[in-house]
Structure formats: structure tokens, C-alpha cells
Amino acid sequence: MGDSPASYIYMHLIEKCLIFHMTKEECIEALSKHANIKSVITVTVWNELEKENREFFEAYAKSHNKNRAIEAKAEAEAEAEASTMIQKLLLDHDHTKKSDKE
């Protein structure tokens, strides 16, 4: 990896993306949108970092996939719980309406 100030800045920004558990694609999008860095630059720097730190990126990918699976499961459970609560509220409301009519 180059020792230019720009290379250092790009590596530092990618490091920040990694700290926030972003995927390569999320990092590319974030740096393009928020730092006005062309996608090709982020891809190039990320690829070089992957070459130089293969073991880290393999572990990062495994950890990232595991965390995403846990998040997806928690999200599905929360949605199921919300659905159950809504159904219960609707049933309670129907019973209340019927009781009021009697």
C-alpha cells in the first residue's frame, strides 16, 4: 500500500467502516456519499488491504456474517412478537365491541 497522505486517509476511512461492521459494499457507498471518494478508489484500497491482511478479512467476513444472521433472527422474532401483539389487541377490541353491544 502506498505511503502517500491520500492512501493513509483512505485506509483510515476504511478502518472506520470496519469499526462500524460495514461490508465492502456499504463502505464503498458510505465513502462515496459522505466523503465524496470515488468507488474505484475505495475498491482499490480495500482490495489491497485484503491482500495484505488476508487472515483478518477472512475472520472479519465470518464475524460479519454471523452478526448479520443474529440481527436477522432478532428482527424476525421482534416482527413475530409485534404481529402477535397486534392480533391480541384486535381480538380484545372485537370482544370489547361485542360486550358493549350486549
Side-chain angles (χ1 to χ4, degrees):
M1 194 87 242
D3 291 334
S4 72
S7 289
Y8 175 78
I9 291 169
Y10 298 141
M11 286 188 297
H12 179 72
L13 291 171
I14 289 174
E15 180 182 307
K16 294 296 182 189
C17 291
L18 295 171
I19 289 169
F20 288 109
H21 305 286
M22 293 177 157
T23 63
K24 182 179 187 177
E25 292 74 23
E26 290 168 335
C27 183
I28 292 165
E29 184 179 331
L31 295 183
S32 175
K33 182 177 180 180
H34 301 291
N36 202 28
I37 296 173
K38 293 181 182 178
S39 299
V40 68
I41 294 172
T42 304
V43 169
T44 302
V45 174
W46 187 291
N47 289 343
E48 286 299 313
L49 288 170
E50 281 183 320
K51 285 180 192 173
E52 293 176 8
N53 304 284
R54 181 157 293 160
E55 289 178 11
F56 168 80
F57 278 92
E58 287 172 0
Y60 180 80
K62 286 179 186 175
S63 172
H64 190 267
N65 291 337
K66 182 179 177 182
N67 288 342
R68 293 287 175 159
I70 290 168
E71 289 172 6
K73 182 180 177 189
E75 211 172 280
E77 289 172 353
E79 286 178 21
E81 184 179 343
S83 178
T84 301
M85 290 176 69
I86 290 169
Q87 289 173 359
K88 185 179 182 308
L89 288 170
L90 290 173
L91 284 172
D92 289 347
H93 180 71
D94 285 346
H95 289 299
T96 303
K97 281 175 55 176
K98 286 179 184 176
S99 295
D100 289 345
K101 288 182 181 180
E102 294 174 356

